[in-house]
Amino acid sequence: MGLLKKDFLWGGAVAANQCEGAYNADGKGLSTADVTIAGAFGVPRKQTDGVLAGQYYPSHRAIDFYHRFKEDIALFSEMRFKCFRTSINWSRIFPNGDDNEPNESGLQFYDALFDELIKHNIEPVVTISHYETPFNLVKKYGSWKSRKLVDFFVNYCDVIFKRYKDKVKYWMTFNEINVIILNPFMTSGIPTDNGENFDSIVYQAAHHQLIASAKAVKLGHQINPGFQIGMMMLYPTFYAESCNPKDQLMAMKAIDSHYYFSDVQVRGCYSAKALRLLEEKGVSLEKLSGDDQLLQEGTVDYIGFSYYNSNIATSREDAEFTGGNMLNAVKNPYLQESEWGWSVDPTGLRIALNNLYDRYRIPVFVVENGFGAVDRVEPDGSIHDDYRIEYLKNHIQAIKAAVLEDGVDCMGYLPWGCIDLISAGTGEMKKRYGFIHVDLDDKGEGSLKRSRKDSFFWYKRCIESNGGII
């Protein structure tokens, strides 16, 4: 099939709140992740009003990347990473979100982190807001319900863009921005249990985020014209269950509800379908007079997206459902599933790449993809994760087909959880994604020792051969 371009960005991805720990160290304030207790498969995580005694909060210790990042980056370098995606913990920079001055200790931590990456010739890829919002902004303003968060976010961006303008080239504004319609508290700290209209709250908050993103993109390009600032979405490839026109129409509408966000961030305006969707839901957005122009001026340079599994749209009311990364997915009889019920479908990734590139004609970037599984540590300490290698191998083949056969401009590939970390959905550790094992259990107990899995050595060979040996 051939090889990918020489500057293809191989690496891995994590999120600050799932790996850093040190939740109250060096002046850091509470984030929404820090008040979220652990759940389990089939048991949703819950939020508490502050940190309560007797509860287990996985983000508080996580895998202690905060104190161990040099050790971990050395392992990434050993795998030959060209880039590493992480996020900045907003409340590490502005502990309350609305502070007048940033927390210098927090800024220094990311200076040290980015310097260490650069020392190893690893390019930082930075998500500005990844499933954590300063908890004070939730308590004081209702989070992104309030237009005031636009200014707080842009001020935060101004500080980090200027501080790291010579260290970070690749940015993304909001992680999986479209997931606000699926889980508004986890993504954005938005409370929706006060008897208010769910759709009105969520789509108004989304408008505030879209404005904030546009303003941040415009600002970032002013600070450093060399910045590449992207959006980031969860891409849920949808198939119609049958050739029944009703199923086909449902599949179209299902993906349109997610294109709602990418259309605004890439094209700079709400599509006719988006406006119709709002009308159907009875939502009237509160907009300021200059908002439409702001959206036009703040379009993104590339599309980052996560892809784990595909989904089925059906008009049947008796369909059998399974898991699916926050989507209530219909079981696909043609696909196998992970232990968490997520379908395994590399062809769906090829389709996602084509759909996004054909629709927008700007570069696309696979910034999350991976296989969550329970790993067994052998008596000699080895971990034989052939299932993970098989999953990643097939998805890389799909990327190569999209690039080399279909002509898609794909920037790179960053498997999720390149080192084991806390699951965002369940707070578990046993649902592992990494090439690097971390000795930690679901109760937060363990030595935190790092060790290489079989997939570690496989991925190293894959990168060294630029995807030629997989």
Side-chain angles (χ1 to χ4, degrees), residues 47-350:
Q47 292 76 42
T48 57
D49 189 10
V51 175
L52 305 181
Q55 298 285 355
Y56 171 52
Y57 299 91
S59 73
H60 289 195
R61 187 190 190 200
I63 63 166
D64 198 28
F65 182 75
Y66 188 81
H67 295 109
R68 296 168 179 257
F69 68 87
K70 290 186 178 181
E71 171 190 356
D72 294 337
I73 290 171
L75 289 167
F76 302 154
S77 178
E78 186 181 335
M79 273 189 285
R80 304 293 190 264
F81 277 21
K82 293 184 178 180
C83 66
F84 172 62
R85 178 191 174 207
T86 188
S87 59
I88 293 177
N89 217 321
W90 187 351
S91 62
R92 208 175 284 288
I93 308 303
F94 287 95
N96 298 299
D98 59 355
D99 312 79
N100 291 325
E101 298 294 331
N103 173 32
E104 179 61 24
S105 295
L107 290 167
Q108 288 177 4
F109 167 71
Y110 292 106
D111 272 322
L113 173 60
F114 300 148
D115 286 345
E116 191 70 15
L117 288 167
I118 293 165
K119 185 178 83 173
H120 287 273
N121 297 311
I122 298 174
E123 189 94 46
V125 177
V126 177
T127 313
I128 299 170
S129 179
H130 191 135
Y131 285 9
E132 46 73 31
T133 304
F135 189 54
N136 176 65
L137 297 183
V138 177
K139 298 292 289 181
K140 193 171 178 180
Y141 305 97
S143 191
W144 286 95
K145 289 182 181 180
S146 172
R147 177 88 184 203
K148 291 182 179 179
L149 264 76
V150 174
D151 291 335
F152 299 144
F153 181 81
V154 174
N155 183 49
Y156 161 50
C157 290
D158 182 63
V159 168
I160 60 175
F161 284 159
K162 289 176 178 174
R163 180 77 171 221
Y164 310 123
K165 65 183 176 65
D166 298 320
K167 299 181 181 183
V168 178
K169 175 182 178 181
Y170 298 101
W171 302 86
M172 289 177 284
T173 51
F174 292 93
N175 178 69
E176 295 183 332
I177 190 168
N178 53 320
V179 178
I180 194 173
I181 63 177
L182 304 175
N183 195 328
F185 190 90
M186 182 173 77
T187 62
S188 308
I190 301 167
T192 57
D193 55 357
N194 297 324
E196 302 166 276
N197 182 279
F198 179 88
D199 289 328
S200 294
I201 290 172
V202 168
Y203 283 98
Q204 184 63 51
H207 178 70
H208 294 155
Q209 289 192 343
L210 291 165
I211 291 294
S213 176
K215 294 185 80 168
V217 171
K218 183 178 178 181
L219 174 67
H221 287 152
Q222 290 170 349
I223 291 171
N224 184 345
F227 279 168
Q228 291 290 299
I229 309 175
M231 66 157 294
M232 197 282 189
M233 69 183 299
L234 177 154
Y235 193 90
T237 299
F238 278 99
Y239 304 130
E241 186 179 40
S242 74
C243 53
N244 182 335
K246 291 182 179 179
D247 289 351
Q248 298 291 328
L249 189 62
M250 288 190 72
M252 183 190 76
K253 288 187 174 184
I255 196 62
D256 281 344
S257 68
H258 298 278
Y259 285 146
Y260 176 105
F261 296 85
S262 50
D263 281 353
V264 175
Q265 291 188 282
V266 179
R267 294 174 171 169
C269 63
Y270 287 96
S271 69
K273 285 184 176 180
L275 297 175
R276 179 61 181 168
L277 176 69
L278 293 173
E279 183 180 338
E280 290 175 354
K281 291 181 176 294
V283 176
S284 179
L285 293 181
E286 295 180 10
K287 298 165 68 174
L288 299 185
S289 59
D291 281 2
D292 291 339
Q293 183 176 347
L294 279 171
L295 294 177
Q296 284 283 348
E297 294 173 347
T299 55
V300 295
D301 300 311
Y302 67 91
I303 301 167
F305 72 99
S306 62
Y307 174 86
Y308 293 93
N309 58 282
S310 57
N311 303 275
I312 288 179
T314 180
S315 57
R316 289 190 301 119
E317 295 182 358
D318 60 344
E320 180 184 356
F321 289 89
T322 181
N325 197 18
M326 292 179 283
L327 290 163
N328 197 13
V330 176
K331 189 176 181 66
N332 189 329
Y334 298 99
L335 300 175
Q336 294 183 330
E337 298 168 359
S338 75
E339 295 171 77
W340 276 262
W342 296 19
S343 62
V344 177
D345 181 16
T347 300
L349 175 56
R350 181 177 181 177

Side-chain angles (χ1 to χ4, degrees), residues 441-452:
D441 65 19
D442 287 347
K443 297 179 181 179
E445 298 174 352
S447 68
L448 297 177
K449 178 184 176 183
R450 275 63 165 155
S451 55
R452 301 164 182 81

